[in-house]
Amino acid sequence: MKRIIAFLFIALGLIGLGSCRKTEEPELPEDNPNPAELQGIVVYYSATNNTKRIGDTIAEYLSLPVFELVPEEPYSSEDLNYNHAESRVCREHNDPNRHTALVSTAIEGFENYTYVFIGYPIWWSEASWVLDDFVKNNDFTGKTVIPFATSASSPLGNSAKNLATKAGSGLWNDGIRFRSSASASEITLWIDSLNLK
């Protein structure tokens, strides 16, 4: 009899413990800038890691995935010497038929993204032509595209508008140009101003 009573006490105790478990999902904090329904991705090409730093900051702040555009033939520091007429970027800039092949322009599940942050360095007041294949090879229909650029001195100019023309689809924002040394707070303030939903 004592064993039966002891067993009942143990069983009731286990049932009581089980009822304390929470099964509901935790709520996001009110100041979280990335509600669960925000479906976005950060895409960028970075020649000297300045654009990468901005893009990674955006991705971390909004908890978004990153897709980095990688040329099949990467640019060396000598290739990026804008002051040398025979450097790769200077020769490409002067070639109306220039083309930079990318390792990949395809993003798995791209059709499911609502927001696409797209980043690039500004070369001769234009978006780096490394982005050309990506914007031409993807369908931005139904997506809001948010360009961001980096430059030590060149303004944003028409770089974002020209990318939108090459893409031929999507709702493209005006974009923003960051100094190479832009702080994380500058970047996150800009993100907050977008009022993403």
Side-chain angles (χ1 to χ4, degrees):
M1 185 68 175
K2 289 181 181 178
R3 287 183 182 176
I4 294 173
I5 293 171
F7 175 79
L8 289 174
F9 276 117
I10 291 170
L12 289 172
L14 289 174
I15 292 169
L17 286 174
S19 66
C20 293
R21 294 179 185 160
K22 292 184 179 179
T23 56
E24 68 273 4
E25 292 293 321
E27 290 186 16
L28 292 172
E30 290 182 13
D31 61 348
N32 189 319
N34 183 26
E37 66 270 13
L38 178 63
Q39 296 295 319
I41 189 167
V42 179
V43 179
Y44 60 73
Y45 167 66
S46 187
T48 59
N49 288 328
N50 291 321
T51 309
K52 174 180 172 59
R53 186 177 62 81
I54 306 290
D56 288 349
T57 300
I58 295 168
E60 182 178 353
Y61 189 61
L62 293 175
S63 301
L64 300 180
V66 166
F67 186 82
E68 183 169 5
L69 301 174
V70 179
E72 287 184 358
E73 184 184 342
Y75 288 79
S76 68
S77 55
E78 291 81 12
D79 290 337
L80 296 168
N81 185 348
Y82 309 101
N83 297 315
H84 192 292
E86 292 304 312
S87 71
R88 178 179 171 187
V89 288
C90 286
R91 285 186 283 107
E92 289 177 347
H93 173 251
N94 294 323
D95 180 1
N97 299 312
R98 64 181 174 242
H99 177 256
T100 302
L102 297 172
V103 172
S104 177
T105 62
I107 298 175
E108 186 176 350
F110 187 70
E111 66 279 3
N112 299 321
Y113 292 113
T114 304
Y115 294 95
V116 180
F117 287 85
I118 186 162
Y120 53 88
I122 296 176
W123 290 353
W124 283 276
S125 301
E126 282 295 332
S128 167
W129 45 85
V130 174
L131 274 75
D132 287 0
D133 275 5
F134 176 76
V135 298
K136 290 175 182 177
N137 294 350
N138 284 284
D139 183 4
F140 294 89
T141 301
K143 303 183 189 309
T144 298
V145 186
I146 307 168
F148 62 96
T150 56
S151 170
S153 58
S154 297
L156 186 67
N158 291 320
S159 60
K161 290 179 181 177
N162 292 340
L163 279 179
T165 300
K166 290 175 184 177
S169 61
L171 176 62
W172 287 68
N173 284 13
D174 292 336
I176 188 172
R177 172 250 177 196
F178 288 104
R179 295 172 297 114
S180 303
S181 59
S183 67
S185 61
E186 289 178 79
I187 300 164
T188 56
L189 280 171
W190 168 67
I191 296 170
D192 289 343
S193 74
L194 297 172
N195 296 316
L196 301 178
K197 297 178 180 177

